[in-house]
Amino acid sequence: MSPHRFAPLLLLATFLAAGSALAQDKGSVTPKALPPLANPNDPGLGAKELFARKLLPSKGPAHVVGSYTRGCLGGAAQMPVNGDNWQVMRLSRNRSYGHPDMIALIKRLAAKAHRDAGWPGILVGDIAQPRGGPALSGHASHQIGLDADIWLTPMPDHRLSREEREEMSAVMMVRPDRLDVDPKVFTPGHVLVLRDAAREPAVQRIFVNAAIKKALCREAKGDRAWLSKIRPWWGHDYHFHIRMHCPAGAGECEGQPSQSEDEGCKPSDLAYWFSDAVLHPKPPPEPPKPKPPMTLAEMPAACKAVLHAADVKP
């Protein structure tokens, strides 16, 4: 995932186009149902329109199909809205579903955040839609239930109201100059929570803002092997993004290549992210044309069966 292979402006435009449903975007206390599609069998219809209208997972065992950015999920599990050490945010998005392994991982991380960092718990952002697939807004990934966003804001010590879950903003962890974290809000507890997440064997990558990676490189003590899983990427200054390996035996899951076990803390590893072209990108001469939406035919064939399978009983 080396950024040097791509044009910075193109990547930034791609991220911005796919980042409209992050922790700062408010939800709705009274969400409205999407209207019926005039022609759901239209071959040119975006698959996101179809998957967004599925409100429940499909029946049957968990079944991952395709890749993080082009795939779907059968038999998804839902993250409970409340737990001893977690609360799910932005309920109106209906993106609290994932592979059962991901749901179990988030629960473990919540307990560790309480134990190791002293947080009351964690705030859980987007995981995936009930059947995965592309979303109407926000992420290009999060399609197979193996990606999850965790807010960098510790869970408050009280049960949040529905209004707070939809309207509360996450705390910015990065200084205005984008060169480092804000020491008033980024604490040793954040280091411990990110360490605990990265030490999970099933976790392949964790995406954070480059300033957060820089801080982790500076503050991590003792065994630093976990730093190799922490990867800088655009955004991720209010939340971090966990990505899991394909589950064992998931033959239709398309994972990512193995990554270097290097800490990624050398000045040369981070220089790109703090270059002027990245921190202060110049707008392109002409706005990039939006890509046509991915159709169901462009997704793995098995996703059609996942889409049309019977609902699990609510």
Side-chain angles (χ1 to χ4, degrees), residues 57-70:
S58 62
K59 292 176 65 175
H63 181 205
V64 176
V65 179
S67 70
Y68 304 100
T69 59
R70 189 184 295 267

Side-chain angles (χ1 to χ4, degrees), residues 3 18 38 46 53 63 68 74 82 93 107 113-114 153 180 188 209 248-249 259 264 275 291:
R53 284 169 168 78
H63 181 205
Y68 304 100
N82 299 303
R93 293 182 191 165
K107 292 178 180 179
H114 178 68
T153 306
D180 212 326
N209 183 276
Q259 57 194 10
S275 65
K291 292 182 178 180

Side-chain angles (χ1 to χ4, degrees), residues 195 199 220-227 263:
R195 180 204 65 184
R199 282 181 171 174
K221 303 293 189 290
D223 178 9
R224 293 166 54 93
W226 57 272
L227 286 167
E263 289 182 2

Side-chain angles (χ1 to χ4, degrees), residues 5 40 49 66 100-101 111 115 135 137 143 155 157 168 182-183 196 207 227 232-233 253 256 258 261 272 292 309:
R5 299 181 184 178
E49 300 288 349
D101 290 354
R115 181 194 70 198
S137 63
Q143 293 196 26
M155 187 184 85
D157 60 1
M168 172 181 165
D182 182 347
D196 286 344
F207 301 116
L227 286 167
W233 201 244
C253 179
Q256 288 186 279
S258 299
E261 295 185 1
Y272 168 82

